[in-house]
């Protein structure tokens, strides 16, 4: 592990540059507490992550099919499920919720409505299966966060969605995380609540056409909805590139440049 990343509380600038986003204050305070109490121990953050059932580490290579909204902070020990903060829009930073994302099925699940409750779910799951020092540390963390360790959920709660400001909507997507935006950026006929098992792959041409039409009607959130749903089902690189190109256009129209690279030249491959 990179020693500089194991003590983020001591070098915020380098931490930001390496991870690419500001941690929610609840999670950052836990980092700072562990590094302050164990400043001479380069594995101190590893201890924190083991207590919540994760393996600490940044993921420098983008995961295939992982939504750009998911900002990874670690992985589960055995099955490689990614855990990260979910940032739909830079204006919604604050106490971002955490989510799991399983690349093998291209599906994500929210752990809580905000950072604190997400950590409570992680701690409850860990208490349900860990033993020894990790379990002891999980109980301590739960109490520090104001939870009764014996009342925490032992599995991911169903139907959890992030808190949103007035005038904002979340439209369900096949990847489980949804598209979040102000209502005015969705088409009036937008479907918001769709059971995840009801999503079916559209033909790539139909998805691209629908996304392009939504962009032309000043509905970039609906365009993003079509693209995100399609990305769950594609396996061919050329199709993925076409979808990513439209996805990035939607991000730019939503003023979410942080989630997209420069809009690529349509005459060149991504």
């Amino acid at each position: 592990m990179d020693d500089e990343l194991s003590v983020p509380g001591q070098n915020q600038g380098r931490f930001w540059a390496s991870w690419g986003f500001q941690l929610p204050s609840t999670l950052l305070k836990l980092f700072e507490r562990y590094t302050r109490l164990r400043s001479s121990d380069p594995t101190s953050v590893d201890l924190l992550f083991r207590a919540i059932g994760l393996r600490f580490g940044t993921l420098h290579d983008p995961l295939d099919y992982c939504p750009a909204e998911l900002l990874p902070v670690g992985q589960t020990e055995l099955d490689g499920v990614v855990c990260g903060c979910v940032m739909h829009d830079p204006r919604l930073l604050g106490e971002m919720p955490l989510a799991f994302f399983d690349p093998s099925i291209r599906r994500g699940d929210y752990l809580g409505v905000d950072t604190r409750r997400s950590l409570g779910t992680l701690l409850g799951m860990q208490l349900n299966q860990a033993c020894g020092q990790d379990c002891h540390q999980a109980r301590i963390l739960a109490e520090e966060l104001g939870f009764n360790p014996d009342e925490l959920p032992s599995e991911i709660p169903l139907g959890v969605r992030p808190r949103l400001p007035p005038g904002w909507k979340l439209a369900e997507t096949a990847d489980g995380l949804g598209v979040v935006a102000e209502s005015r950026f969705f088409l009036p006929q937008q479907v918001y609540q769709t059971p995840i098992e009801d999503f079916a792959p559209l033909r790539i041409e139909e998805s691209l056409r629908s996304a392009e039409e939504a962009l032309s009607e000043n509905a970039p959130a609906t365009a993003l909805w079509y693209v995100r749903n399609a990305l769950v089902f594609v396996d061919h690189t050329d199709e993925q590139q076409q979808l990513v190109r439209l996805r990035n256009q939607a991000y730019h129209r939503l003023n979410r440049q942080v989630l997209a690279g420069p809009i690529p030249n349509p005459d060149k491959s991504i």
Side-chain angles (χ1 to χ4, degrees):
M1 181 197 302
D2 186 334
D3 287 345
E4 292 169 331
L5 287 183
S6 67
V7 286
Q10 296 178 357
N11 195 326
Q12 299 282 343
R14 191 177 296 276
F15 180 65
W16 174 285
S18 297
W19 286 52
F21 68 97
Q22 178 64 60
L23 283 179
S25 61
T26 298
L27 194 52
L28 190 57
K29 287 176 181 176
L30 291 181
F31 273 108
E32 292 173 337
R33 172 188 175 278
Y34 269 66
T35 56
R36 182 174 65 251
L37 296 178
R38 303 170 176 84
S39 59
S40 62
D41 182 358
T43 65
S44 57
V45 176
D46 279 329
L47 298 176
L48 167 61
F49 269 62
R50 286 206 305 272
I52 57 176
L54 300 178
R55 184 173 72 250
F56 171 69
T58 55
L59 306 173
H60 296 290
D61 297 323
L63 290 167
D64 289 342
Y65 311 108
C66 186
E69 287 80 359
L70 186 74
L71 309 174
V73 297
Q75 291 178 300
T76 55
E77 288 286 351
L78 298 178
D79 51 18
V81 170
V82 179
C83 183
C85 300
V86 184
M87 183 184 71
H88 288 285
D89 188 287
R91 290 171 291 175
L92 302 178
L93 278 172
E95 291 300 290
M96 294 179 284
L98 305 181
F100 276 159
F101 187 82
D102 187 343
S104 68
I105 58 173
R106 306 175 192 176
R107 165 72 186 273
D109 291 288
Y110 285 99
L111 298 171
V113 297
D114 55 24
T115 308
R116 176 179 172 274
R117 292 187 181 276
S118 298
L119 288 170
T121 297
L122 286 173
L123 288 165
M125 295 170 65
Q126 179 72 336
L127 287 168
N128 187 53
Q129 56 191 332
C131 58
Q133 180 60 30
D134 289 346
C135 184
H136 175 68
Q137 193 59 54
R139 294 188 70 86
I140 292 175
L141 279 177
E143 292 170 355
E144 287 185 357
L145 289 170
F147 295 115
N148 180 337
D150 298 320
E151 296 180 357
L152 289 171
S154 59
E155 56 187 23
I156 300 174
L158 297 176
V160 174
R161 294 295 177 265
R163 292 195 178 103
L164 298 176
W168 289 65
K169 288 280 193 177
L170 182 148
E172 308 280 357
T173 51
D175 58 31
L177 299 184
V179 169
V180 169
E182 294 174 75
S183 300
R184 62 192 177 98
F185 291 124
F186 290 103
L187 288 175
Q189 66 269 30
Q190 174 71 47
V191 176
Y192 290 103
Q193 296 182 344
T194 304
I196 198 161
E197 62 271 12
D198 289 351
F199 281 102
L202 297 174
R203 290 191 305 167
I204 184 68
E205 297 82 3
E206 186 176 352
S207 297
L208 291 168
R209 182 176 64 254
S210 296
E212 288 171 344
E213 290 175 353
L215 284 173
S216 71
E217 296 181 47
N218 196 32
T222 295
L224 183 59
W225 182 79
Y226 278 112
V227 169
R228 290 265 303 281
N229 287 326
L231 280 168
V232 172
F233 301 105
V234 299
D235 289 304
H236 301 292
T237 302
D238 58 339
E239 293 178 347
Q240 187 179 14
Q241 289 177 343
Q242 294 177 72
L243 290 166
V244 167
R245 183 178 291 114
L246 279 178
R247 184 198 68 181
N248 289 350
Q249 289 181 19
Y251 283 147
H252 280 271
R253 293 278 292 276
L254 290 165
N255 199 27
R256 300 176 184 179
Q257 288 83 352
V258 68
L259 296 178
I263 297 178
N265 186 328
D267 297 326
K268 296 181 180 179
S269 60
I270 294 177

